Amino acid sequence: MDQERNHHLNPHQMALKQVEIAAAHMDLDPGILAKIMATEKEITVHFPVKMDDGQVRIFTGYRVQHNDTRGPYKGGIRYHPEVDADEVRALAMWMTWKAAVVNIPFGGAKGGVQCYPKEMSAREMENMTRRFTWELHTFIGPERDIPAPDVYTNPKVMAWIMDTYSILKGHVVPGVVTGKPLELGGSLGRFEATGRGVFVTAAQAAALLDLPLAGARVVIQGAGNVGGVAAAQFAAAGARVVAISDSKGGLYNEKGLDVEQALACKNRYQCFLSEHVPAREVTNEELLTLPCDILVPCALGGVIHAGNADYIQARIIAEGANGPTTPQADAVLRGRGVFVVPDILANAGGVTVSYFEWVQNLQNLLWSEQEIAQRLEGIMRGAFAEVHRISRERGVDMRTAALILGIGRVAAAVRLRGIYP
Ligand code: GLU
């Protein structure tokens, strides 16, 4: 019955369901639980953009600020045709728990514009980004809410946000966004951070399961900033990346792919199919159930669901994407003994280095790449160990343990600040 209800959960309902599951293992005051399940502010804007053909098109954009009890709101902005209010609400809530799991002083937010980024020119993207920034400018800021890249946004988009916001303020404000180009106050190591964190936590899971990384078969969904970097990291550690995909489909070779070659091809579908890369073509759906040891979903949410969880062959799933696994699939995977490193832990490397970037911007400091890599690795390892300890002590899976940790920290902060007035 419960499982049937799960079937049609939208991302926000999915995020709320996860909180319910974790809260059942916690002794939370009902008022505090209600407070942290609610989003604090939801901004929806419909704004005009002048397109290359001279026409004006109206776009819909969102910024959902879930919770800022522990620090300013933090979270990316995505450009995607499927962006809607419920997806952004879920993503904002996951940012709150994620920042708390790695114990950085941020709250959670997320934004998005419903659009087809692949069909837009650079000029149209810039116009859309600048107007969206104008629409949001009274709600964001280095001490208020700090956007960052997410699906189909990148350092270039962050530069436009930073420029527009700075013009509106009358002085340069680098700390208003993270994930900026290095030349504009971006941090060394930020681009690699999410993929690096996914690799580090997956490697910790492999060590726990006595699975040697050398020769381990890894399947990666997504070849962008997260999947592409993670693939390179696994390959460098001697793992066999047997499959990787982009939004159109993937490549599979059971003996292992040449990751560099496969990534160089990812934007040219013809090359994907050519004889230069010895591999078989697979769909994104098929890719998830390929024989492998570690599955690394790094694309969109909801891809591991009731319909395919039974067929997943991996021993470890490291979630580079946000919300790739539905609660119903979680139950199936738990029953089958699959070790899931949940999104709010596995992909927290991005927001962690965003925090380093913000700290450097506020203090006009420059940290070395080595310093950033060491701090990131320390935080990811520490968070993994803490989540795993809770998982063992309470007899719960890693997602529930991560939620217990994250929600517990936010709830403690709410309790201390109190409910005003
Ligand atoms: N979009 C990334 C995430 O989902 C990074 C967010 C940030 O750096 O603020 O974690």
Side-chain angles (χ1 to χ4, degrees), residues 74-76 95 98 110 148-150 178 190 322 350-351 354:
K74 185 84 190 82
M95 285 309 303
K98 193 186 299 187
K110 201 78 165 204
D150 199 78
T178 58
R190 173 61 185 88
N322 289 311
V351 73
S354 275

Side-chain angles (χ1 to χ4, degrees), residues 4 14 24 35 54 64 94 108 127 129 137 143 201 210 224 254 261 266 286 309 345 386 402 420:
E4 277 172 18
M14 192 173 131
K35 155 84 192 102
V64 172
W94 289 325
N127 290 351
T129 301
H137 81 274
E143 271 140 18
T201 52
D210 281 327
E254 60 182 19
Q261 198 181 35
K266 80 166 180 90
E286 201 183 342
L345 170 62
E386 223 163 331
Y420 179 83

Side-chain angles (χ1 to χ4, degrees), residues 12 39-44 62-67 73-74 76 84-93 108-112 136 145:
H12 186 223
T39 52
E40 288 173 355
K41 202 172 281 151
E42 303 187 350
I43 304 140
T44 303
Y62 306 90
R63 185 75 181 169
V64 172
Q65 299 176 329
H66 170 249
N67 190 295
Y73 299 110
K74 185 84 190 82
D84 65 19
D86 280 316
E87 184 187 70
V88 182
R89 283 184 187 116
L91 291 162
M93 180 178 276
K110 201 78 165 204
L136 291 184
D145 182 356

Side-chain angles (χ1 to χ4, degrees), residues 49-57 59 120 123-124 127:
V49 176
K50 215 177 275 166
M51 307 303 279
D52 289 347
D53 62 4
Q55 307 261 352
V56 169
R57 194 179 307 161
F59 287 86
M120 292 168 69
R123 152 93 43 132
E124 290 170 339
N127 290 351

Side-chain angles (χ1 to χ4, degrees), residues 185-188 353-368 372:
S187 177
L188 291 165
V353 178
S354 275
Y355 167 60
F356 300 161
E357 180 172 332
W358 179 75
V359 167
Q360 291 172 86
N361 291 158
L362 295 189
Q363 302 184 68
N364 299 311
L365 284 177
L366 266 188
W367 297 357
S368 72
I372 284 156

